[in-house]
Every structure is written in structure tokens, then in C-alpha cells.
């Protein structure tokens, strides 16, 4: 079943069109990566799906319901969104911060029930941050912080998790830990994951489906094998590359070729 | 809410009650403890002690409590709304705007109970501009504080202009009031101001959980199901009402909304469900303390309480500036 169905959406800022006539569908339990060069419209598409922006034309259906008809607090019960930048000017503890994920499920004067505490603890465990629960957010490293932010999303008990570049600025240890976590959740609980990514090889390694954007249009979508051909990547990124398989996973791996090497071979 | 926070709140409530009583016993006229207790338990007694207590000290203590609670609670809420730990009614220029509103009211001869209307209107309009500018500048802390300084200068010039044009007998009391003065004794105004401030503060307390979410930024808050526009409007109207009422009754009392929330955040953490009631209690305690100091330190003269909070607040601000190592500050 299609969890997200995007039909001919067009959107822009001011007079400039950023996305042109985009259509695509995301099934339940998909692990979808959105990739493309800077300015291709990845984050804009992300914000349209999370209802932060309204399309100029076209419609987005979530669970077969028009997204504009779903109130934000209703949407927040099943869709968790992890934006690229999350401000935390005040030093909440990890436990308090993750507990905020229960917000959409509580009515105004309702207090935490047993099940809410359980869900928060589970989310802390899943994201492997329980031992940090009494630490303050400001004391954490970048990788820990990112896992705590994901734990907050999990506390919403979502069906769909949307993440905008969750591994940016992290070292490979934390990149892999975070993507492994997402993969595990996707496989074990059937959580649908949509993730905007910059790193092509991480996207190839972890995503089951890829959407490659170019200048606000879908250039190619499909499995990593279908999308990551050197022709596609060279065309979209205007860079010489070689695509080989990862010897362990057999997934496509994109190698860069520097100008110097490129000249030698001509 | 954890046990430590509940304990802090209880301790504060008890200290507030104790402090109010102690403050009643201090002042220019020497009253014996038995006289005070007698007057408190026999409100109708015609003695001088009862007059001093019911007409001078008690209204002043009650006003200090209410204004302190309101300024501090609105300060902590503004910090969350603007995601800026240095925001408070005075530093973002809303107090100055309210003072201008009240000055207009005084010049036009509005009677005391109507002054909150002038000040709250000025506060709401200015708050709207501050918010508009802040959101355009992506809430950078320096732009908000800079904007506040500019607004304060601007409105202080406007107030001076009004007073230089006005008749001199109106000016002296207005200047005292402008420095932050709790000696107002118009009982009707005290009642109106108390109702506005206590009601608004109670509303803010019920919004603690929403403000927690709001501090994560508008995007995340929206993703968690908050109607940002509605919440922001509700908060800035409520805060403006509080600030307007406080300024109408007692002039510009600076830094209460900065010092108290900072201390409480340090003691009890960032959770707004704790911070708002705690700031209200803490602000009440702080302002009663300052005002008791103001009316006893150079007997038989009195200082405007704004002078005391200004000196304490300025020092606090300076220490904060020196100690704060994080880049987040400016």
C-alpha cells in the first residue's frame, strides 16, 4: 500500500520554481533515499511531505488522505520529522527532550500514563541512548545528539520517519551507527523511512529505493542498482565517476576521478 | 515533574509567605510584632498600626509580589518564544514602549485605573514589531537585544519629549514612577493590575508543555503538532498584558525577568512546566526583597525599587557576559 502518494506537485519560493511537476509514491516499509546536487530541491520536497510548505499545484496523499486535510497534531501522531538543524538553546535533559515526542499523543491537561513512560524508555533503548538519559543535551557529542533527536522521533510512535541529512557532519562511526539504527527499525518494525542524503555511497548501501533529483525534477528513481550508473551520476553531478560494486554487499559504489587522473587517461 | 522540582516550588512558596510577613514588620514607622499581629487579625481596628499596614505596607508588598511574579514569568516565556536567554520585558524594549503608553495616558489626563489600557496597547504593538523583526533575522540573539536597545532609546526619548511639553506638577511623580516605583496606593489600580497579571500568569503556566516544544524551533514544533501562529499570538498578547499592567502600576523595573529565570534554570533545568510557576514565585520573592531594601536602606528616605533591580541586574548581566564562554552569547 502507498503510504505517501505525490501527484504532480509544483512548488517554488517567490517567483522561482524549485520543484516542477514531481510525482512519486512511497510504499509502507520502504527505505527511500532522496539524493541530488545542492539546490536540486531535496529539502524543499522534504518540507512539502512534512507539511511545512504547501504545494503551488498538485496534491500529496498520506495514507490516501489529502495532506492538507490532516491537522498538524493529527499528523504528528504517525509522522516523525527530523529536520537538518535543530535548535536547542536551553539545556533540557535527554529524558525530558525525548519525552517531548509524546506531545502529540497527550491532550492539554493530561499527564504521562504508564504506557508513555514505557514508550519513552523503549525509544531511548532503541536509539541506544538510555545511559545518557539524565545528561543535559548541551553536554552531548554530535553523534549522541543526533541519536537523541531520533529517539525523540521514535517516541512519537511513527509509521513514517522523515530525516533531512541525519549523518551530515558526523564521523563514519556515527554515520554507520545511525544508518544501522534506521535500517534495523525499518526491518524489525516495518517503519517507513525517507531520508535526504548527500553521501551517495551511504545512500546506495542503506536505501532500498532512491530518488535522484536534478533541477527540481526527478531525473531517475528506482533501486540503487538502477539509479547509480555512471551515466546518471555524471549527467546529474557533472563530475567524472566510476561505479563499481562494494565487494562485501555487492551494492554499487561511486568512485570519484580527479582532474589530474582524468587528464592522464585521455 | 521530579521530586527536586516539587521541593524547590514548595520551598519557594513557604519563603514567599515568610518574606511577606517579615517585610510587613520593617519600615519607617516602628511597629511592634504584637501590634502587627493584632492589626492583621482585627482588620477593622482604628489604630495607627492598622493604617500603616493596610494603607501603606500591605498594598506595596502585594504589588511587589504581583509585579515581580508577572515580570519574571513573562521574561522566562519571552526567552522561550524568542529562543534567546537574554530576552525579558526590559531588554527587548517592551517595558520602554509600555512606559511611553502610560506617559501618553498621564499627559492626556486618564485616571489611574485606565492606564493599563494605554500601556498594554503600546506593549502589544511593539511586541508585534519585535517578533516580526526577530523572525526576519532568524531569531539571532544579537539582533533581538540590539533591537531592544534601539526601542528603549527611542521610547525613552519619546517619554522625555512628552514630559518636557507637559505641565511641571505632573512631571515629578511621573519621573519617580518611571524609575520603577512600587509606592502606588490607588487601591483600584492595584486590584485591576493584580487580576490581569495573576490571570495571565496562570494561563502561561497551563502552556508550559507547548512552550517546551516551541523552544525547539518553529519547524520542529510544527512537526510535533503545534499551531505555531496561534501559540505565538496567544503568548505575545498574554505577555504584553502582563508587562503593560506591571508598567502601568510601577514603571520600568528592569532585569527581574532575566535574573530570576537564569537562577532557576541553573537550579531546576529547562523544563517550562517547572520554570513558569517557579519564575513567578521567584520573581515575587526577588521583588519584595528588593523593595523592602529600597524602603529601609536609607531611612527615612526611600529609593525607587527600579534603582535596586537595575544595579543588581546590571552587575548580573556583566558577570554573565564575562563568564559565558559559549559562542551563543552575541
Amino acid at each position: 500500500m502507498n503510504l505517501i502518494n505525490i501527484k504532480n506537485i509544483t512548488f517554488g519560493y517567490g517567483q522561482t520554481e524549485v520543484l516542477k511537476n514531481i510525482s512519486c509514491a512511497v510504499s509502507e516499509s520502504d527505505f527511500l533515499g532522496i539524493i541530488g546536487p545542492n539546490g536540486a530541491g531535496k529539502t524543499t520536497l522534504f518540507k512539502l511531505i512534512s507539511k511545512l510548505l504547501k504545494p503551488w499545484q498538485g496534491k500529496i496523499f498520506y495514507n490516501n488522505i489529502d495532506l492538507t486535510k490532516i491537522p498538524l497534531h493529527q499528523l504528528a501522531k504517525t509522522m516523525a520529522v527530523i529536520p537538518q538543524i535543530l535548535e536547542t538553546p536551553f539545556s533540557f535533559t535527554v529524558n525530558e527532550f525525548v519525552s517531548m515526542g509524546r506531545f502529540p499523543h497527550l491532550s492539554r491537561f493530561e499527564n504521562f500514563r504508564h504506557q508513555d513512560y514505557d514508550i519513552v524508555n523503549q525509544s531511548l533503548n532503541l536509539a541506544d541512548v538510555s545511559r545518557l538519559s539524565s545528561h543535559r543535551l548541551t553536554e552531548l557529542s554530535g553523534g549522541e545528539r543526533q541519536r537523541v533527536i531520533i529517539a525523540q522521533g521514535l517516541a512519537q510512535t511513527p509509521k513514517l520517519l522523515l530525516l533531512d541529512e541525519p549523518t551530515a557532519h558526523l564521523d563514519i562511526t556515527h554515520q554507520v551507527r545511525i544508518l544501522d539504527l534506521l535500517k534495523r527499525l525499518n526491518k524489525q518494525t516495518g517503519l517507513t523511512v525517507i531520508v535526504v542524503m548527500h553521501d551517495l555511497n551511504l545512500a546506495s548501501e542503506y536505501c532500498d529505493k532512491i530518488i535522484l533529483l536534478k533541477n527540481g525534477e526527478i531525473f531517475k528513481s528506482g533501486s540503487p542498482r538502477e539509479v547509480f550508473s555512471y551515466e546518471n551520476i555524471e549527467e546529474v553531478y557533472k563530475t567524472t565517476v566510476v561505479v563499481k560494486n562494494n565487494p562485501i554487499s555487492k551494492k554499487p559504489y561511486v568512485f570519484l576521478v580527479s582532474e589530474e587522473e582524468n587528464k592522464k587517461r585521455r | 515533574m521530579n521530586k527536586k522540582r516539587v521541593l524547590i516550588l514548595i520551598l519557594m512558596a513557604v519563603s514567599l509567605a515568610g518574606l511577606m510577613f517579615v517585610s510587613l514588620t520593617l519600615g519607617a514607622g516602628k511597629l511592634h510584632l504584637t501590634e502587627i499581629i493584632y492589626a492583621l487579625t482585627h482588620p477593622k481596628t482604628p489604630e495607627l498600626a492598622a493604617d500603616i499596614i493596610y494603607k501603606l505596607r500591605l498594598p506595596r508588598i502585594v504589588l511587589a509580589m504581583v509585579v515581580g511574579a508577572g515580570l519574571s514569568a513573562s521574561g522566562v516565556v519571552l526567552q522561550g518564544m524568542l529562543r534567546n536567554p537574554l530576552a525579558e520585558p526590559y531588554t527587548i524594549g517592551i517595558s520602554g514602549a509600555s512606559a511611553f503608553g502610560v506617559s501618553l495616558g498621564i499627559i492626556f489626563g486618564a485616571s489611574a485605573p485606565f492606564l493599563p489600557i494605554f500601556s498594554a496597547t503600546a506593549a502589544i504593538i511593539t511586541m508585534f514589531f519585535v517578533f516580526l523583526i526577530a523572525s526576519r533575522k532568524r531569531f539571532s540573539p544579537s539582533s533581538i537585544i540590539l533591537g531592544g536597545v534601539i526601542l528603549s532609546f527611542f521610547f525613552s526619548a519619546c517619554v522625555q519629549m512628552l514630559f518636557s511639553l507637559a505641565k511641571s506638577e505632573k512631571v515629578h511623580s511621573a519621573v519617580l514612577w518611571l524609575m520603577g516605583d512600587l509606592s502606588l496606593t490607588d487601591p483600584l489600580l492595584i486590584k485591576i493590575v493584580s487580576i490581569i497579571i495573576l490571570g495571565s500568569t496562570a494561563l502561561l503556566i497551563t502552556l508550559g508543555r507547548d512552550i517546551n516544544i516551541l523552544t525547539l524551533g518553529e519547524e520542529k514544533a510544527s512537526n510535533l503538532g503545534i499551531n505555531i501562529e496561534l501559540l505565538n499570538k496567544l503568548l505575545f498578547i498574554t505577555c504584553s498584558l502582563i508587562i503593560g499592567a506591571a508598567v502601568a502600576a510601577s514603571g520600568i523595573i528592569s532585569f527581574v525577568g532575566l535574573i530570576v529565570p537564569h537562577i532557576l534554570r541553573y537550579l531546576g533545568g529547562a523544563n517550562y512546566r517547572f520554570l513558569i510557576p517557579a519564575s513567578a514565585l521567584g520573581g515575587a520573592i526577588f521583588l519584595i526583597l528588593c523593595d523592602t531594601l529600597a524602603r529601609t536602606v536609607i531611612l527615612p528616605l526611600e529609593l525607587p525599587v527600579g534603582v535596586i533591580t537595575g544595579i543588581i541586574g546590571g552587575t548580573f548581566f556583566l558577570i554573565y557576559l564575562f563568564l559565558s564562554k559559549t559562542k551563543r552569547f552575541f
Side-chain angles (χ1 to χ4, degrees):
Chain A
M1 199 191 108
N2 284 340
L3 188 60
I4 296 272
N5 212 339
I6 296 176
K7 289 199 169 150
N8 310 95
I9 53 167
T10 297
F11 178 82
Y13 301 100
Q15 298 290 317
T16 358
E17 268 188 9
V18 177
L19 291 176
K20 295 155 205 151
N21 201 22
I22 299 262
S23 294
C24 62
V26 185
S27 318
E28 263 179 50
S29 308
D30 266 359
F31 197 122
L32 171 77
I34 302 174
I35 59 169
N38 290 333
K42 302 185 296 289
T43 298
T44 306
L45 182 59
F46 178 88
K47 287 185 177 174
L48 283 162
I49 299 174
S50 57
K51 215 190 160 185
L52 284 174
L53 301 172
K54 270 201 188 102
W56 285 357
Q57 281 159 35
K59 281 208 157 101
I60 299 175
F61 293 92
Y62 178 66
N63 256 333
N64 293 327
I65 305 167
D66 185 348
L67 199 58
T68 55
K69 303 258 158 62
I70 309 175
L72 280 173
H73 63 93
Q74 208 59 37
L75 192 65
K77 288 181 183 174
T78 59
M79 184 196 281
V81 185
I82 317 286
Q84 209 174 94
I85 302 162
L86 185 55
E87 311 165 65
T88 43
F90 303 108
S91 48
F92 291 104
T93 65
V94 168
N95 191 55
E96 281 169 342
F97 180 78
V98 173
S99 300
M100 289 185 209
R102 295 308 294 156
F103 179 82
H105 298 272
L106 298 171
S107 56
R108 173 150 310 281
F109 295 104
E110 195 173 18
N111 270 318
F112 259 45
R113 296 149 296 186
H114 273 296
Q115 64 176 93
D116 296 304
Y117 288 110
D118 290 346
I119 289 167
V120 168
N121 287 332
Q122 260 171 29
S123 311
L124 287 166
N125 277 329
L126 277 171
D128 194 19
V129 286
S130 329
R131 68 187 170 81
L132 302 172
S133 71
S134 58
H135 286 56
R136 296 200 169 186
L137 226 49
T138 38
E139 301 165 356
L140 305 183
S141 73
E144 289 169 335
R145 220 177 95 92
Q146 192 62 350
R147 274 183 289 137
V148 168
I149 293 170
I150 292 174
Q152 188 196 56
L154 297 179
Q156 284 172 256
T157 53
K159 282 166 77 176
L160 170 64
L161 188 60
L162 274 162
L163 306 101
D164 192 356
E165 294 195 39
T167 57
H169 314 300
L170 297 181
D171 59 34
I172 52 168
T173 320
H174 288 103
Q175 288 185 341
V176 167
R177 270 184 94 171
I178 282 172
L179 289 166
D180 279 342
L181 162 68
L182 296 178
K183 193 77 190 173
R184 209 161 54 231
L185 291 165
N186 171 253
K187 286 279 173 276
Q188 287 172 2
T189 65
L191 179 71
T192 311
V193 178
I194 299 179
V195 54
V196 171
M197 289 237 249
H198 250 305
D199 189 313
L200 301 179
N201 293 317
L202 285 175
S204 164
E205 198 60 37
Y206 284 94
C207 301
D208 303 322
K209 276 179 72 183
I210 302 280
I211 287 178
L212 174 59
L213 289 176
K214 185 198 175 195
N215 294 333
E217 286 171 294
I218 296 184
F219 183 82
K220 179 84 188 166
S221 69
S223 68
R225 172 120 352 252
E226 291 167 312
V227 175
F228 288 101
S229 68
Y230 81 91
E231 294 95 334
N232 288 342
I233 301 299
E234 288 192 346
E235 168 72 30
V236 171
Y237 286 89
K238 308 290 179 212
T239 305
T240 316
V241 297
V242 172
V243 178
K244 296 277 184 196
N245 285 348
N246 178 326
I248 308 290
S249 67
K250 309 294 178 219
K251 299 267 177 60
Y253 196 96
V254 180
F255 293 91
L256 304 173
V257 182
S258 69
E259 184 187 40
E260 194 186 357
E261 293 291 337
N262 212 351
K263 277 182 189 157
K264 273 188 209 165
R265 263 149 251 269
R266 268 189 192 155
Chain B
M1 221 183 293
N2 60 30
K3 284 198 184 106
K4 184 182 162 195
R5 286 175 179 159
V6 176
L7 192 69
I8 293 178
L9 287 177
I10 293 172
L11 275 177
M12 286 171 83
V14 173
S15 335
L16 176 60
L19 179 63
M20 287 174 87
F21 184 75
V22 172
S23 180
L24 267 183
T25 66
L26 300 170
K30 289 268 174 288
L31 291 182
H32 198 267
L33 202 59
T34 48
E35 288 177 287
I36 293 170
I37 292 169
Y38 183 81
L40 281 177
T41 46
H42 302 79
K44 295 268 153 57
T45 179
E47 309 229 356
L48 178 67
D51 261 8
I52 292 179
I53 287 194
Y54 287 107
K55 293 209 175 123
L56 292 175
R57 291 189 192 169
L58 196 57
R60 188 158 175 167
I61 291 170
V62 168
L63 190 62
M65 173 186 85
V66 169
V67 168
L71 289 178
S72 175
S74 61
V76 79
V77 169
L78 287 171
Q79 287 153 25
M81 250 179 110
L82 299 166
R83 290 171 282 287
N84 183 337
L86 295 179
E88 70 120 23
Y90 178 68
T91 55
I92 65 170
I94 309 297
S95 295
S98 300
F100 174 66
V102 176
S103 309
L104 268 183
I106 292 176
I107 299 292
F108 286 126
S111 67
F114 292 101
L115 292 178
I117 299 174
F118 285 86
S119 56
T121 313
I124 288 175
I125 294 170
T126 315
M127 183 84 97
F128 179 75
F129 278 111
V130 169
F131 199 75
L132 201 74
I133 292 165
S135 63
R136 285 198 158 207
K137 299 265 176 191
R138 300 192 155 266
F139 294 95
S140 98
S142 51
S143 74
I144 294 170
I145 301 301
L146 191 65
V149 171
I150 294 168
L151 282 177
S152 296
F153 281 151
F154 176 76
F155 284 115
S156 128
C158 293
V159 169
Q160 283 168 6
M161 182 186 71
L162 285 180
F163 285 164
S164 55
L165 296 175
K167 290 193 198 99
S168 60
E169 71 264 27
K170 281 182 186 167
V171 174
H172 181 72
S173 65
V175 167
L176 255 185
W177 155 82
L178 204 62
M179 286 193 263
D181 183 21
L182 289 159
S183 60
L184 168 96
T185 43
D186 184 330
L188 183 58
L189 182 55
I190 293 182
K191 268 182 204 147
I192 292 174
V193 165
S194 303
I195 290 169
I196 295 176
I197 292 182
L198 294 180
S200 305
T201 306
L203 177 65
L204 290 180
I205 289 173
T206 66
L207 294 169
R209 199 186 265 152
D210 304 60
I211 300 171
N212 277 338
I213 310 273
L214 194 62
T215 63
L216 306 181
E218 302 210 335
E219 244 177 67
K220 185 72 202 181
S222 175
N223 293 148
L224 279 166
I226 295 244
N227 184 337
I228 300 289
E229 219 169 292
L230 187 72
L231 181 61
N232 274 337
K233 268 183 201 150
L234 185 64
L235 290 179
F236 85 60
I237 289 174
T238 314
C239 286
S240 302
L241 280 176
I242 293 178
I243 299 164
V247 171
S250 57
I252 298 180
I253 298 180
S254 50
F255 297 123
V256 179
L258 187 72
I259 299 170
V260 176
H262 268 86
I263 295 171
L264 288 165
R265 219 176 253 124
Y266 177 75
L267 291 176
N271 192 333
Y272 269 84
R273 296 183 77 191
F274 159 76
L275 269 184
I276 301 175
S279 295
L281 285 170
I285 292 173
F286 178 74
L287 202 56
I288 294 176
L289 264 178
C290 287
D291 190 49
T292 310
L293 208 62
R295 65 190 171 85
T296 54
V297 74
I298 48 160
L299 281 173
L301 293 175
E302 285 185 0
L303 285 170
V305 69
V307 172
I308 306 260
T309 65
I311 290 170
I312 298 177
T315 317
F316 183 87
F317 215 131
L318 216 62
I319 293 171
Y320 186 86
L321 203 101
F322 272 112
L323 293 184
S324 132
K325 291 193 185 79
T326 51
K327 286 271 195 276
R328 222 180 303 130
F329 185 81
F330 288 132

